[in-house]
């Protein structure tokens, strides 16, 4: 159908964005093989680390007192502090309300115990199906860290998998703490030493290949500090260039760099204690330029890095920009970044990922982002409609399919 006016355009964009089945390329979710590592249900939702940080701004209890509480006591404290004693309009609070509302619960009751009842008779398998259906997510990518003992034992044991859940090989400990973690590779039978000799580098490549064979990951990933620089005289830089890059290329497994996290700025907040710092885009440019046959997925955590990341993506077709990560996953910044990306890169981006740590969050993270992305898309199509450009509804559907997953899958297939 040819779109004749902005009324028809708005309807077509909203329908395409509402109906698209998403590939969510970065989450912290797990298949049921991993048992309790998959977090779900209202108490996990309410104790999401974003809400812990927000709660600790209001209360005077010590961090240790908080961490000593049971999960239910933590949720009760957060609910009372952020939802009852204050209005829950922060994005993380609003997200909880969106989930409960989309599940059909009586939000007006404000009764956390009543919400808990909903989950009492739900199995995790039923809830996975329910959440993926409500959220409109057809595939999601996990974060799989072989250095996490609780996770590694499943990979080495009875992992069966779930076609909807794809693996990602996460290698922060290898890159960010080689001086400590080389010992673990040694324990696992890799003949490595702290000094990066040729034979150690070869063994690190064997480690990567073994885990690619085991996990069949859609990419290798690492979160990296603002100080992440390649090239430099460091173990991290050498492992990136002499291990990650060659294995990534040989195995056609892109390297996803998530750059700009300052770990444990407040260590007492534990998982909620990380912060953000501006990073050096020249490392992204260096790697994309020097390794044109490698594929790089990149997201950066600082708002200040977003424009230069878009410009870098204009220079390098082997760079695919993704997501509004973490402290950027808020309506005002999602809109700013999505406008910038569509204006500089057109549809050749992955505007969002959820980073969901709790299964239920897929519902709100995608509901909120679909609306914002649809609004920006409407504006961009309106601009070209105004020039007399003919817009067909199936082209809108085509473009929307690409930005909500198709670009990712075709990037994996490309040969540079
Ligand atoms: O490194 C990462 O994958 C980050 O997304 C997480 O460490 C972070 O805690 C998070 O979940 C942010 O949304
Ligand atoms: Zn993450």
């Amino acid at each position: 159908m040819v779109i004749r006016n902005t009324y028809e355009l708005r309807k077509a964009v909203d329908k395409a964005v509402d109906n698209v089945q998403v590939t969510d390329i970065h989450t912290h979710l797990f298949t049921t093989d991993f048992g309790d590592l998959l977090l779900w249900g209202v108490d996990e939702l309410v104790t999401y680390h974003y809400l812990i940080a927000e709660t600790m701004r209001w209360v005077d209890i010590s961090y240790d007192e908080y961490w000593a509480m049971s999960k239910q006591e933590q949720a009760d404290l957060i609910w009372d502090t952020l939802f009852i004693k204050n209005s829950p309009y922060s994005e993380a609070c609003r997200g909880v309300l969106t989930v409960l509302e989309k599940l059909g619960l009586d939000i007006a009751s404000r009764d956390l115990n009543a919400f808990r009842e909903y989950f009492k008779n739900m199995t995790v398998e039923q809830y996975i199906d329910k959440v993926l259906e409500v959220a409109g997510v057809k595939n999601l990518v996990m974060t799989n860290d072989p250095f996490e003992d609780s996770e590694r034992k499943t990979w080495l044991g009875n992992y069966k998998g779930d076609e909807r859940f794809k693996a990602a090989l996460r290698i922060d400990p290898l890159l960010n703490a080689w001086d400590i973690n080389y010992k673990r590779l040694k324990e696992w039978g890799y003949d490595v030493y702290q000094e990066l000799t040729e034979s150690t580098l070869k063994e690190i490549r064997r480690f990567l290949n073994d885990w690619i064979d085991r996990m069949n990951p859609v990419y290798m990933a690492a979160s990296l500090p603002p100080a992440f620089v390649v090239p430099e005289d460091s173990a991290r830089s050498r492992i990136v260039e002499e291990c990650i890059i060659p294995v990534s290329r040989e195995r056609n497994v892109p390297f996803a760099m998530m750059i700009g996290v300052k770990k444990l700025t407040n260590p007492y907040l534990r998982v909620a204690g990380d912060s953000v710092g501006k990073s050096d885009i020249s490392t992204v440019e260096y790697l994309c330029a020097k390794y044109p046959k490698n594929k790089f997925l990149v997201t950066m955590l600082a708002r200040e890095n977003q424009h230069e990341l878009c410009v870098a993506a204009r220079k390098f077709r082997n760079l695919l920009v993704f997501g509004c990560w973490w402290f950027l996953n808020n309506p005002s910044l999602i809109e700013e970044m999505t406008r910038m990306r569509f204006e500089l890169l057109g549809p050749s981006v992955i505007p969002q990922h959820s980073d969901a740590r709790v299964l239920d969050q897929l519902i709100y993270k995608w509901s909120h982002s679909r609306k914002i992305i649809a609004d920006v898309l409407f504006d961009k199509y309106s601009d070209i409609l105004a020039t007399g450009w003919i817009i067909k509804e199936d082209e809108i559907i085509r473009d929307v399919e690409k930005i909500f997953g198709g670009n990712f899958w075709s990037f994996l297939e490309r040969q540079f």
Side-chain angles (χ1 to χ4, degrees), residues 20-39:
V20 68
Q21 287 298 299
V22 169
T23 291
D24 188 346
I25 80 156
H26 173 59
T27 76
H28 297 269
L29 304 177
F30 292 94
T31 64
T32 53
D33 302 281
F34 296 95
D36 294 342
L37 289 182
L38 171 61
L39 304 179

Side-chain angles (χ1 to χ4, degrees), residues 7 33 41 115 134 139 177 250 252 367 371 396 409:
Y7 172 77
D33 302 281
F115 302 149
V134 171
N139 295 117
E250 287 151 23
N252 188 29
S367 170
K371 174 76 176 70
I396 293 172
W409 296 113

Side-chain angles (χ1 to χ4, degrees), residues 23-280:
T23 291
D24 188 346
I25 80 156
H26 173 59
T27 76
H28 297 269
L29 304 177
F30 292 94
T31 64
T32 53
D33 302 281
F34 296 95
D36 294 342
L37 289 182
L38 171 61
L39 304 179
W40 63 287
V42 70
D43 284 301
E44 292 295 353
L45 192 59
V46 173
T47 57
Y48 182 36
H49 71 71
Y50 292 27
L51 296 171
I52 298 171
E54 293 176 33
T55 299
M56 296 309 284
R57 292 184 46 71
W58 290 103
V59 298
D60 294 338
I61 63 168
S62 72
Y63 295 106
D64 286 345
E65 282 174 292
Y66 173 80
W67 294 116
M69 288 177 177
S70 69
K71 179 69 73 176
Q72 183 160 327
E73 288 166 341
Q74 292 170 349
D76 289 339
L77 173 68
I78 291 171
W79 184 261
D80 182 53
T81 306
L82 298 183
F83 293 78
I84 303 302
K85 291 195 169 72
N86 296 281
S87 295
Y89 57 68
S90 76
E91 183 62 5
C93 284
R94 174 199 171 208
V96 172
L97 302 185
T98 298
V99 171
L100 299 173
E101 183 261 332
K102 297 274 185 197
L103 291 174
L105 302 187
D106 175 14
I107 290 285
S109 74
R110 300 188 177 186
D111 182 348
L112 184 55
N113 285 318
F115 302 149
R116 285 170 171 142
E117 283 304 307
Y118 173 85
F119 295 90
K120 279 244 169 48
N121 302 317
M122 182 82 74
T123 67
V124 62
E125 292 80 6
Q126 288 168 335
Y127 198 50
I128 288 172
D129 293 347
K130 172 86 177 167
V131 169
L132 293 183
E133 192 249 327
V134 171
V137 171
K138 66 179 170 188
N139 295 117
L140 60 89
V141 183
M142 303 183 279
T143 294
N144 304 111
D145 182 347
F147 291 85
E148 280 293 334
D149 294 338
S150 55
E151 195 182 337
R152 193 174 64 255
K153 71 176 182 344
T154 300
W155 286 108
L156 298 175
N158 56 349
Y159 177 72
K160 295 184 186 59
D162 176 329
E163 186 40 48
R164 300 166 295 181
F165 290 63
K166 309 302 182 186
L169 173 54
R170 187 66 179 254
I171 47 175
D172 297 27
L174 183 73
L175 290 184
N176 296 329
W178 172 251
D179 56 335
I180 298 163
N181 291 309
Y182 80 91
K183 296 178 189 125
R184 303 199 68 192
L185 262 71
K186 203 163 190 66
E187 279 165 29
W188 299 332
Y190 297 93
D191 185 18
V192 296
Y193 297 86
Q194 185 171 347
E195 187 194 353
L196 291 175
T197 60
E198 276 315 308
S199 67
T200 287
L201 291 166
K202 188 163 180 270
E203 282 291 86
I204 294 172
R205 291 192 290 270
R206 184 167 73 90
F207 166 80
L208 293 172
N209 274 299
D210 287 352
W211 279 96
I212 288 172
D213 291 341
R214 185 168 292 126
M215 284 184 181
N216 186 28
V218 288
Y219 57 75
M220 289 188 273
S223 73
L224 297 153
F228 173 57
V229 170
V230 178
E232 68 173 4
D233 181 17
S234 71
R236 179 167 57 213
S237 180
R238 288 201 63 200
I239 293 172
V240 167
E241 289 211 84
E242 301 183 55
C243 303
I244 308 296
I245 293 293
V247 171
S248 175
R249 168 87 185 112
E250 287 151 23
R251 302 297 300 270
N252 188 29
V253 174
F255 181 31
M257 298 186 284
M258 304 171 69
I259 310 171
V261 57
K262 280 196 289 201
K263 299 301 281 183
L264 297 179
T265 306
N266 179 352
Y268 301 105
L269 277 173
R270 298 185 189 176
V271 65
D274 300 338
S275 187
V276 57
K278 185 168 184 319
S279 308
D280 181 356

